[in-house]
Amino acid sequence: MESIIKSWNGEAVVIRRDHETDAWIYIAIHSTRLGPATGGTRMKHYSDQKEALGDALKLAAGMTYKFAVPGIERGGGKAVISIPSGLTPDGRIGLLERYGTLIHQLGGLYYTGPDMGTSSEDMDVIARTGDPYVFCRTPACGGAGSSGPITAVGVFAAIQAACAHVFGTEALNDRKVLVQGTGSVGGKLIEYLRNAGAEVIFSDVDHACVQHYRDEAGLTCIEADAVYDTDCDVFAPCAFGGVVNADTIPRLKCRIIAGGANNQLTVPEDARRLKGKGILYAPDYVVNVGGAMGIPGMENMGWTTMDAERKVAESVRSTLARIFETAEAENITTDEAAGKLAEANLSR
Ligand code: PHE
């Protein structure tokens, strides 16, 4: 654990052992340079606590860049709640309430929202004790609800911008898009893509999702291990991180990678490998900014849903266009171009 924290360039980590449930809570404060650390709560079972801590640290750094690129006055943070496999529904509620208390005690150092494994209903529970540092409560509890739809608006705009760059048109009616993961972001993205006339194929490990999108919606389902060998124009990772790596890149048959998942690249060199293969990579934290930008806008700054959708789509589109141009002009990767933009805003 010590060496993992030492090799990280963030500000602080808060660790709480939840004795009642056997869970571990890690709140990673990567940067408060531009404002209070803000980022979702990821809740899942990890076989190894080092992996859970490492996930929190890496995800928090991603949030710093996510806010820095469009110049939003928030810092990077993330929480991971590493739960035991047999957690009961009641145990889960108690755990979330104690987690909320911890957030409250931090007094505004860290603001949270949902992420993989947590929902708006969970935010309601966390807010019982964690108020006012909790985004994305249900509308009944005064929040803007799920961040999935507004995030998907940004991912959709990113796919259009990437297609415009690669194919000279953002029209999607002749495009084949592979969506990996049909959760709150991927599911909405599929809807937007189909409305735009794209051919959508998908992959999911959850049986109910497969049933819905394959058997009811009639979409082609790709087996999990065939995703990286499947021919498509756009590969949209909307599930786990680390899907783009030395093993998968040689197999990829897409022209563009643009999706909602956090930390898609395993190591920065993966961006070089993609560039070498002629695959345009839209940096994940630029693509998936929609929730982090739109939800605080709607909850704190009076934006309507339409305002948020317009601002997110415009921001993603224009930022990506700038990143693609810079990468070409300077012969660097799109990941490097995005990093330069973020660093410039962080050192302003
Ligand atoms: N899961 C979101 C992300 O990774 C986190 C978030 C959503 C934070 C909404 C604040 C508000 O960007």
Side-chain angles (χ1 to χ4, degrees):
M1 291 261 197
E2 200 181 319
S3 68
I4 297 174
I5 297 173
K6 268 188 177 169
S7 63
W8 182 63
N9 64 354
E11 292 176 13
V13 195
V14 177
I15 301 179
R16 186 193 204 278
R17 164 82 175 143
D18 190 66
H19 295 282
E20 290 88 336
T21 59
D22 231 17
W24 288 87
I25 299 171
Y26 306 94
I27 302 181
I29 311 294
H30 180 259
S31 167
T32 54
R33 177 76 187 77
L34 298 181
T38 305
T41 301
R42 180 163 296 198
M43 194 168 183
K44 59 175 261 204
H45 172 72
Y46 291 84
S47 48
D48 180 353
Q49 292 313 313
K50 290 200 284 291
E51 203 191 312
L53 171 66
D55 225 10
L57 301 190
K58 199 171 172 192
L59 288 161
M63 293 305 296
T64 298
Y65 272 24
K66 192 179 299 193
F67 290 118
V69 166
I72 297 170
E73 289 176 343
R74 289 194 168 270
K78 202 92 181 190
V80 164
I81 306 184
S82 170
I83 50 173
S85 24
L87 185 64
T88 63
D90 281 350
R92 184 189 160 93
I93 287 181
L95 170 62
L96 290 176
E97 286 176 341
R98 289 185 291 279
Y99 169 57
T101 301
L102 177 60
I103 292 177
H104 192 82
Q105 287 166 335
L106 293 177
L109 179 66
Y110 171 68
Y111 284 71
T112 201
D115 196 76
M116 199 183 275
T118 56
S119 62
S120 283
E121 286 72 21
D122 293 330
M123 296 306 118
D124 290 349
V125 176
I126 297 168
R128 288 178 197 161
T129 46
D131 184 68
Y133 311 113
V134 185
F135 288 113
C136 295
R137 288 174 228 192
T138 61
C141 287
S146 168
S147 57
I150 187 68
T151 307
V153 166
V155 180
F156 180 73
I159 291 174
Q160 288 180 312
C163 284
H165 189 79
V166 169
F167 303 111
T169 168
E170 61 169 50
L172 295 174
N173 43 312
D174 289 328
R175 301 286 163 239
K176 185 171 177 181
V177 184
L178 167 53
V179 179
Q180 179 186 44
T182 61
S184 75
V185 177
K188 266 286 164 192
L189 177 64
I190 288 178
E191 201 180 303
Y192 299 150
L193 289 167
R194 295 185 80 198
N195 287 340
E199 180 192 344
V200 178
I201 57 178
F202 80 101
S203 171
D204 204 302
V205 291
D206 182 78
H207 185 68
C209 292
V210 171
Q211 235 170 9
H212 177 73
Y213 288 98
R214 183 190 61 198
D215 305 338
E216 289 160 37
L219 302 183
T220 301
C221 176
I222 307 295
E223 288 302 319
D225 48 4
V227 163
Y228 311 108
D229 308 295
T230 301
D231 211 350
C232 57
D233 294 305
V234 182
F235 171 38
C238 294
F240 340 99
V243 296
V244 182
N245 56 51
D247 165 49
T248 59
I249 294 170
R251 295 156 59 190
L252 292 177
K253 295 189 185 67
C254 59
R255 295 291 305 280
I256 292 166
I257 298 177
N262 283 310
N263 297 344
Q264 293 169 25
L265 305 182
T266 305
V267 290
E269 295 81 73
D270 293 324
R272 288 248 145 248
R273 298 190 182 104
L274 290 174
K275 184 171 184 281
K277 243 195 124 172
I279 295 175
L280 181 68
Y281 171 61
D284 49 10
Y285 56 84
V286 179
V287 173
N288 66 22
V289 73
M293 174 185 277
I295 297 288
M298 290 190 276
E299 294 188 357
N300 298 345
M301 296 186 295
W303 299 1
T304 64
T305 307
M306 263 169 62
D307 293 335
E309 290 179 354
R310 196 191 63 246
K311 285 175 203 271
V312 165
E314 273 172 10
S315 168
V316 170
R317 230 181 260 270
S318 63
T319 312
L320 277 181
R322 198 165 147 199
I323 287 168
F324 295 154
E325 274 166 35
T326 308
E328 263 179 20
E330 300 181 17
N331 194 26
I332 55 177
T333 68
T334 51
D335 194 47
E336 288 162 339
K340 278 177 82 166
L341 204 58
E343 290 297 343
N345 282 342
L346 280 167
S347 61
R348 252 194 330 199

